[in-house]
Amino acid sequence: MAQNAHAARPGEQTPAVEDDHKGPKGVIKVPQRLLMGPGPANAYPRVLAAQSLPLLGHMHPPFFAIMDEIQEGLRYLFQTKSPYVLLVSGTGHAGMEAAIANLLEPGETIVVGNNGIWGTRVADMAGRFRGNVVELKRDAGQTFSLDEIKAAVQEHKPAVLFLCQGESSTGTHQNLAGVGDLCREHGVLLIVDTVCSLGAVPIFADAWKIDCIYSGSQKVLSAPPGAAPLMFGQRALDKLKGRKTKPATYNLDLNLIGDYWGWFGKRSYHHTGMVSMWYAMREALEIAREEGLEQLWARHNAMHKRLWDGLKSMGLEPFVEKQADRLISVNTIKVPEGVDWAAVVKNAMDTFNVEIAGGLGPTAGKCWRVGVMGANAHPAPVDLVISSFQDGLARQKRSL
Amino acid sequence: MAQNAHAARPGEQTPAVEDDHKGPKGVIKVPQRLLMGPGPANAYPRVLAAQSLPLLGHMHPPFFAIMDEIQEGLRYLFQTKSPYVLLVSGTGHAGMEAAIANLLEPGETIVVGNNGIWGTRVADMAGRFRGNVVELKRDAGQTFSLDEIKAAVQEHKPAVLFLCQGESSTGTHQNLAGVGDLCREHGVLLIVDTVCSLGAVPIFADAWKIDCIYSGSQKVLSAPPGAAPLMFGQRALDKLKGRKTKPATYNLDLNLIGDYWGWFGKRSYHHTGMVSMWYAMREALEIAREEGLEQLWARHNAMHKRLWDGLKSMGLEPFVEKQADRLISVNTIKVPEGVDWAAVVKNAMDTFNVEIAGGLGPTAGKCWRVGVMGANAHPAPVDLVISSFQDGLARQKRSL
């Protein structure tokens, strides 16, 4: 093409453009699937539709108004009056990293409750940020007692304690009773991961004295993956403001991102807000609010029971030994001896268009994982999962 | 509600749920705007529509096929045969941080071309990652000559050189002729920011010997904000693989994310892919390919000229002195003495529903910034911007 047609700078070569188009041309094609694994869950149609609305600028007043609505919705979900709530741009991992990067300084001690992949990852992150990492370990399928948490806090005198409320790699639900009080008493900041539990089971950030909670968009909220709800209580904010060092990550520095979300009374540009994703979250949060938290919790509990009534009737058992440790949103199911778990997963997809998942990390090969979350926590999807197990196991009996 | 209706754990208090719904209830409302600032630009309707397609799981083969298509599209945009391309989950800032975090080790020297806000931010990031930061500074509106880049490389012997091709805070276009050769000669890795230039002006990753390029989704590609296209050449990959320390950020560790994108021959879970956003990017990349890079570059250049024909006819002048330094995608326009720049911006929005922007960082108050990018690089939007300047300036003449 003529050199003056484009804006290459003097001296820059412009060889012929190469194109070797192998992939399918034309408009994207996406099959329909029922997503009953640990997430993403299917999104609400209204949430997906919001993403096709025209973009606004990330510094426009009408967009700020939508951010205000999101913050209101987050306060409701977290049950907090804290002004310090926002969406981290990214998935739950970005929320996790934002929490650790901003609340832990190099050389400080963090006690990490590690009973699955999320604790392992937090320990890895905290080490990269040059924290002194103490892992409180439990086997997959177990949770921590208040007594052992207390002993660890007393022994290690950490700056930060991390616990995962809903451990989706193992299917456990961490009891948080008394942990907030314990942390206040010892001057410890409490970070709780609720990526796959927020909205499915009760949590009260203020009443339970939790300093930082983060979550994900693609589980109970049934929005697409890409936004991590996050809250800081006043003690977390004070820690952030009083840091001796800058957080290692500029991209997730909550001093700067908080400034964009109006935490400090104005709105300063940090990075471009994820406009379509924020629209989706505004809708997802409003849908949760229209239903109401108590109803949301009760629906998830009822669907969890419905799932297990079906699974137990065919002899399947929970991977998590104790009833009180079992998570209701991501359910782990023991693989019976001699059964090919992967064949059951494959059959569910091939025959029913249903995703169920195998284990992850410490549970790989030992269990299936079934998510009953948000838009999918209803009788029809749950019953389809039960049918897919019945069919998958029956096929193996025939072939065993 | 009855305690057994939900899944609170023994001992956990469940006070009454509080709701203080102040924001508007019901479905989200979004006004229509023409986004002619530095970004986001308006998205293509086909791109927005893709985001309302049903979610797939992030580990499903049909989703991997879409990721393959995205990678093909990225190779085309970057003009590279490198296998090491992917979308970073986040905006251009996440791309920037991924580049710096993965290619710079603590204690290594980075020379940062700093002639605007992006250089300033890279310097900040590199410092947080404990790099030895050398800033090569130029006033806003100027670019770097090959000679001064060469002198800096010879003097400081950096591990990494950072340059911004399209500096959107100042409106400059960095000439890259000879820089790749220089870097190879001195064993320096070259990182180039193309957030607001990719697709508008020529760049050839392989022919120009660039080791790492990152960009943004919401500019010339006209997708929503939230994905950062990124490429590593073989030398960048070798550096990543040979690191003595882990990157400080787990969330953006390209060893792990690359593994999800199939860089090393398999697909391992790192974090949940941003499903809807990836759909949007697949469409945006396909649209760019359907038009063709040469046509895309020529269209942007023609619309830049059309904009300036109109602006110059009313006596406005470029903020950037030298023609050869001017960026065509984000145009900076000098604010004439005595003119209230903010009133022109406000009038454009109030009267025309058009966003134009003021300066940023070193150019705040000194210029306007007009983006002519992607879906908006067409005569009608450009002419509307010209009209909005005519009207805004005429109103001031009346009132001055």
Side-chain angles (χ1 to χ4, degrees), chain B residues 7-177:
Chain B
R9 299 293 97 168
E12 289 181 344
Q13 317 158 45
T14 51
V17 166
E18 289 189 41
D19 192 7
D20 176 23
H21 204 311
K22 293 184 290 272
K25 298 190 185 190
V27 175
I28 191 169
K29 280 151 203 89
V30 174
Q32 187 81 246
R33 297 275 187 266
L34 180 64
L35 305 177
M36 302 296 284
N42 293 83
Y44 289 107
R46 174 177 155 191
V47 168
L48 292 176
Q51 296 194 111
S52 63
L53 291 168
L55 296 182
L56 284 171
H58 56 292
M59 298 296 285
H60 289 195
F63 191 62
F64 291 152
I66 289 168
M67 291 167 71
D68 288 342
E69 291 172 48
I70 289 169
Q71 288 180 304
E72 239 202 64
L74 293 177
R75 282 185 204 107
Y76 177 69
L77 257 282
F78 289 131
Q79 284 293 293
T80 183
K81 296 196 187 308
S82 171
Y84 312 117
V85 293
L86 54 68
L87 297 179
V88 177
S89 298
T91 60
H93 275 79
M96 181 189 277
E97 187 153 296
I100 306 298
N102 286 279
L103 293 181
L104 186 73
E105 292 217 57
E108 287 184 346
T109 297
I110 179 171
V111 168
V112 178
N114 181 351
N115 59 343
I117 194 172
W118 310 117
T120 302
R121 293 198 167 188
V122 167
D124 186 341
M125 278 181 192
R128 291 176 192 234
F129 293 134
R130 298 186 291 141
N132 173 32
V133 181
V134 177
E135 291 184 67
L136 187 61
K137 288 203 179 181
R138 280 294 233 161
D139 287 342
Q142 300 181 346
T143 64
F144 304 96
S145 72
L146 184 57
D147 280 346
E148 61 193 326
I149 294 168
K150 191 174 180 176
V153 164
Q154 285 173 336
E155 182 184 347
H156 300 290
K157 301 183 178 34
V160 177
L161 170 67
F162 168 86
L163 292 173
C164 185
Q165 186 186 33
E167 221 298 333
S168 64
S169 72
T170 60
T172 57
H173 180 165
Q174 175 62 47
N175 189 327
L176 295 168

Side-chain angles (χ1 to χ4, degrees), chain A residues 18-33:
Chain A
E18 289 189 41
D19 191 7
D20 176 24
H21 204 311
K22 292 184 290 272
K25 298 190 186 192
V27 175
I28 190 170
K29 280 151 203 87
V30 173
Q32 188 80 247
R33 297 274 187 267

Side-chain angles (χ1 to χ4, degrees), chain B residues 124-340:
Chain B
D124 186 341
M125 278 181 192
R128 291 176 192 234
F129 293 134
R130 298 186 291 141
N132 173 32
V133 181
V134 177
E135 291 184 67
L136 187 61
K137 288 203 179 181
R138 280 294 233 161
D139 287 342
Q142 300 181 346
T143 64
F144 304 96
S145 72
L146 184 57
D147 280 346
E148 61 193 326
I149 294 168
K150 191 174 180 176
V153 164
Q154 285 173 336
E155 182 184 347
H156 300 290
K157 301 183 178 34
V160 177
L161 170 67
F162 168 86
L163 292 173
C164 185
Q165 186 186 33
E167 221 298 333
S168 64
S169 72
T170 60
T172 57
H173 180 165
Q174 175 62 47
N175 189 327
L176 295 168
V179 181
D181 282 322
L182 172 74
C183 286
R184 294 279 154 111
E185 206 178 300
H186 290 81
V188 177
L189 287 178
L190 174 59
I191 300 176
V192 178
D193 178 315
T194 66
V195 170
C196 71
S197 60
L198 188 71
V201 309
I203 197 161
F204 292 84
D206 290 356
W208 296 6
K209 298 172 186 157
I210 305 172
D211 300 301
C212 170
I213 305 178
Y214 62 86
S215 190
S217 53
Q218 77 275 23
K219 313 271 182 171
V220 175
L221 288 171
S222 289
L230 177 138
M231 69 84 48
F232 267 28
Q234 187 61 50
R235 289 180 354 129
L237 202 272
D238 291 345
K239 171 75 180 268
L240 176 67
K241 284 283 150 201
R243 284 182 67 103
K244 290 181 265 318
T245 58
K246 286 185 191 176
T249 158
Y250 181 93
N251 186 45
L252 297 178
D253 184 335
L254 291 173
N255 279 301
L256 305 174
I257 303 176
D259 218 13
Y260 174 53
W261 284 84
W263 283 11
F264 314 117
K266 57 191 170 74
R267 299 270 191 185
S268 302
Y269 166 68
H270 171 260
H271 67 274
T272 306
M274 291 166 62
V275 182
S276 297
M277 184 73 229
W278 283 192
Y279 292 169
M281 285 301 286
R282 190 276 181 196
E283 291 305 90
L285 289 163
E286 181 65 15
I287 288 169
R289 208 153 173 188
E290 287 169 3
E291 179 167 2
L293 271 177
E294 288 108 328
Q295 169 56 24
L296 204 52
W297 298 335
R299 173 160 67 84
H300 279 81
N301 208 30
M303 290 304 109
H304 159 76
K305 286 179 179 160
R306 186 181 186 103
L307 174 72
W308 279 104
D309 285 348
L311 295 175
K312 284 183 175 165
S313 75
M314 61 188 100
L316 292 170
E317 287 170 21
F319 175 78
V320 177
E321 294 290 326
K322 292 187 201 155
Q323 170 74 47
D325 288 339
R326 288 180 204 143
L327 181 62
I328 62 166
S329 51
V330 177
N331 298 269
T332 45
I333 302 149
K334 208 185 281 182
V335 178
E337 237 185 273
V339 168
D340 177 358

Side-chain angles (χ1 to χ4, degrees), chain A residues 160-172:
Chain A
V160 177
L161 170 67
F162 167 85
L163 291 173
C164 184
Q165 186 186 32
E167 222 299 333
S168 63
S169 73
T170 60
T172 57

